[in-house]
């Protein structure tokens, strides 16, 4: 069972346990991580699950999809090279220990 860490804008780290196959967004919302709104429920339509992937993990994630890429351009917080949508990050043992930073805002 992978565990991942969300780092809030104030630097506070929040570790959550995830199930294999669950998305990082689902793990966050199930365990009340503030800062992940996920208004569209994980359908890659809202960009309110925007996260910044820790640089050490970036290369281990699957390539960004076209829909995700387009949506990130409209994210409320500044898009950066390590921006991803947490609903598109499927968790498994290979991502145990993943670190995701939360943006200042999602809307
Ligand atoms: S939850 Fe809406 S795009 Fe991720």
């Amino acid at each position: 069972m992978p565990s991942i860490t969300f780092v809030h804008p104030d630097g506070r780290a929040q570790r959550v346990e995830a199930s294999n196959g669950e998305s990082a967004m689902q793990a966050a919302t199930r365990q009340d991580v503030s800062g992940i709104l996920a208004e569209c429920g994980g359908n890659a339509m809202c960009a309110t699950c925007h996260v910044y992937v820790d640089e050490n993990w970036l290369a281990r994630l699957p390539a960004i999809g076209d829909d995700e890429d387009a949506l990130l351009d409209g994210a409320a917080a500044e898009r950066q090279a390590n921006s991803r949508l947490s609903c598109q990050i499927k968790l498994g043992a290979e991502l145990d220990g993943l670190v995701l930073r939360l943006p200042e805002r999602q809307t």
Side-chain angles (χ1 to χ4, degrees):
M1 198 159 84
S3 80
I4 61 174
T5 299
F6 289 90
V7 181
H8 291 265
D10 64 3
R12 183 171 51 93
Q14 184 173 359
R15 187 169 156 169
V16 303
E17 302 297 326
S19 304
N20 285 325
E22 187 175 44
S23 72
M25 175 279 281
Q26 288 171 318
T29 55
R30 192 166 49 73
Q31 293 169 82
D32 296 326
V33 174
S34 61
I36 296 290
L37 302 184
E39 289 176 348
C40 78
N43 291 312
M45 294 175 66
C46 72
T48 62
C49 64
H50 179 200
V51 291
Y52 301 118
V53 178
D54 183 274
E55 301 291 345
N56 293 325
W57 288 92
L58 206 49
R60 292 189 239 182
L61 294 185
I64 196 166
D66 290 343
D67 289 347
E68 180 179 3
D69 192 21
L71 260 181
L72 280 167
D73 283 340
E78 179 191 4
R79 181 177 183 174
Q80 298 179 4
N82 58 342
S83 286
R84 296 295 298 259
L85 297 178
S86 59
C87 70
Q88 302 302 302
I89 301 173
K90 296 285 183 248
L91 300 170
E94 73 285 358
L95 292 180
D96 183 36
L98 176 67
V99 177
L100 301 172
R101 289 189 291 111
L102 294 161
E104 291 282 348
R105 59 197 179 96
Q106 296 284 14
T107 59

